[in-house]
């Protein structure tokens, strides 16, 4: 036994990942598991790059796709703590251009607020690419494109995961109320990464990433909504020198994600530095969407013959929820387990009841329902290892 875990069970967990790698489900993984902040397992298994034979390493840097949203969520929650905005702040009150250039297409935009964006209930389109990949690095161009979009649902009612649009608007809101004149990239570095000692993290490629980036390998089915080309083009966009993609564009390490997750587990504080208040974290990790189904992910469940689960969303953080359903956080997690994940490859969660933190960043993007099954199995093995 070590730090509240069964060592034999943790060994089985590592064997399971090695078996996945041997079967080429994915190429490698960097993992960190802790209980009450005490690390029980930190390991790298398999390959960072199977093609070249490069072994996975603890300091590998991953393009984490939508796990990036967790960092942007933190900026928004921080702005709420500071009184710069509230959950009921309307988007148009901070970004008047959100009404768009065509007044006849501005219907319902005045109803969308920060809380709607955080809970994916803004009623905006679920497009991952408001502009072409040749422009996606240009944050100002993306903001402008989002401002011209129509509202397609009922704000506060329709629940559909937003791959891009909501976090574009939230990042721009933070930039404007921050008052420093800094870019979103600079604000995230100064307000999240630096205070938490996340030295391997950046919104885009940084000098510290040289020689450490895990290349993106994609294995999506041809009929997938997100294709291999989308995944690879997006990975290339992240490396543009001026890229600012606060919805998918972070590069980070398992160790850094662990530090971020530990800050959340400890109610906003890490190593004596307070980033967020306990009040805002409690609100963010409390169910905000009731029994509503997440429209965008419903098709995954239907295609696999799974029971369609509720979306279980807090303020920007996915929640474990109650009942028996297919979930990345495992079927045995407590109902208020919370975390984030990124496109078929990366995940972290915190179980506040058991005080377990789990980070798993993997090499190779796999089809999303396979990814959910994979992480459910691994998460359940972590939960089963706890004593």
């Amino acid at each position: 036994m070590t730090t509240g875990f069964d060592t034999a069970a943790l060994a089985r967990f590592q064997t399971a990942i090695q078996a996945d790698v041997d079967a080429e489900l994915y190429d490698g993984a960097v993992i960190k598991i802790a209980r009450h902040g005490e690390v029980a397992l930190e390991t790298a298994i398999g390959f960072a790059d199977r093609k070249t034979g490069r072994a996975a390493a603890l300091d590998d840097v991953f393009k984490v796709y939508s796990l990036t949203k967790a960092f942007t969520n933190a900026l928004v929650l921080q702005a709420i703590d500071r009184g710069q905005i509230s959950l009921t702040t309307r988007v148009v009150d901070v970004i008047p251009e959100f009404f768009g250039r065509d007044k006849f297409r501005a219907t319902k935009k005045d109803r969308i607020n920060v809380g709607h964006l955080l809970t994916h209930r803004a009623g905006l389109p679920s497009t991952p690419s408001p502009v072409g990949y040749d422009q996606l690095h240009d944050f100002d161009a993306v903001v402008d494109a989002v401002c011209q979009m129509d509202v397609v649902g009922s704000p506060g009612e329709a629940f559909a995961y937003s791959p891009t649009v909501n976090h574009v608007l939230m990042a721009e809101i933070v930039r404007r109320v921050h008052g420093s004149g800094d870019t979103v990239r600079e604000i995230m570095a100064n307000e999240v990464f630096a205070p938490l000692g996340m030295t391997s993290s950046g919104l885009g490629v940084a000098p510290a990433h040289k020689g450490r980036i895990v290349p993106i390998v994609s294995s999506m089915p041809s009929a997938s909504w997100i294709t291999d080309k989308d995944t690879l083009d997006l990975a290339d966009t992240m490396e543009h020198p001026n890229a600012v993609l606060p919805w998918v564009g972070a590069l980070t390490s398992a160790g850094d994600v662990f530090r971020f997750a530990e800050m959340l587990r400890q109610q906003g504080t890490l190593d004596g530095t307070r980033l967020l208040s306990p009040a805002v974290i409690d609100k963010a990790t409390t169910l905000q969407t009731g029994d509503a189904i997440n429209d965008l992910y419903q098709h995954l469940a239907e295609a696999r013959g799974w029971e369609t689960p509720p979306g279980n969303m807090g303020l920007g953080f996915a929640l474990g929820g109650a009942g028996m359903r297919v979930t990345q956080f495992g079927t045995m997690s407590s109902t208020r387990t919370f975390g984030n994940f990124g496109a078929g490859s990366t995940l972290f969660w915190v179980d506040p009841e058991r005080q377990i933190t789990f980070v798993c960043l993997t090499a190779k993007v796999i089809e999303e329902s396979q990814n959910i099954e994979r992480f459910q199995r691994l998460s359940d093995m972590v939960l089963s290892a706890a004593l």
Side-chain angles (χ1 to χ4, degrees), residues 93-250:
D93 289 336
V94 183
I95 311 174
E97 308 96 294
F98 182 55
F99 277 121
R101 288 184 285 274
D102 185 345
K103 65 181 181 181
F104 295 105
R105 301 176 66 178
T107 304
K108 301 180 184 177
K109 286 191 173 183
D110 62 334
R111 291 168 47 192
I112 299 174
N113 63 34
V114 171
H116 297 148
L117 298 175
L118 280 167
T119 56
H120 297 269
R121 295 180 304 136
L124 292 164
S126 293
T127 176
S129 302
V131 298
Y133 287 112
D134 60 331
Q135 278 191 289
L136 203 59
H137 66 277
D138 184 340
F139 185 65
D140 290 342
V142 176
V143 170
D144 180 70
V146 170
C147 287
Q148 310 318 314
M149 287 182 172
D150 297 329
V151 179
V152 297
S154 297
E157 298 177 16
F159 179 22
Y161 174 75
S162 172
T164 302
V165 174
N166 289 4
H167 282 75
V168 170
L169 291 171
M170 286 190 288
E172 178 64 2
I173 287 171
V174 168
R175 188 191 69 79
R176 295 193 184 196
V177 301
H178 193 262
S180 63
D182 289 345
T183 66
V184 173
R185 187 172 183 165
E186 292 167 334
I187 294 170
M188 189 172 287
N190 294 333
E191 301 288 2
V192 178
F193 299 148
L196 295 180
M198 297 171 64
T199 57
S200 294
S201 300
L203 191 58
V205 177
H209 298 151
K210 187 175 182 180
R212 299 167 56 195
I213 298 174
V214 175
I216 293 294
V217 175
S218 185
S219 180
M220 304 293 253
S222 57
S224 176
W225 182 63
I226 300 291
T227 67
D228 282 337
K229 186 177 186 306
D230 290 322
T231 304
L232 296 172
D233 283 349
L234 191 52
D236 289 343
T237 301
M238 293 179 204
E239 299 210 28
H240 189 285
N242 299 319
V244 178
L245 290 81
W247 59 100
V248 289

Side-chain angles (χ1 to χ4, degrees), residues 5 32-40 258 262 355-358:
F5 286 96
K32 198 161 184 175
I33 301 170
R35 195 168 194 190
H36 301 288
E38 295 294 321
V39 176
F258 178 78
E262 278 291 285
Q355 291 290 294
I356 297 173
T357 303
F358 176 43

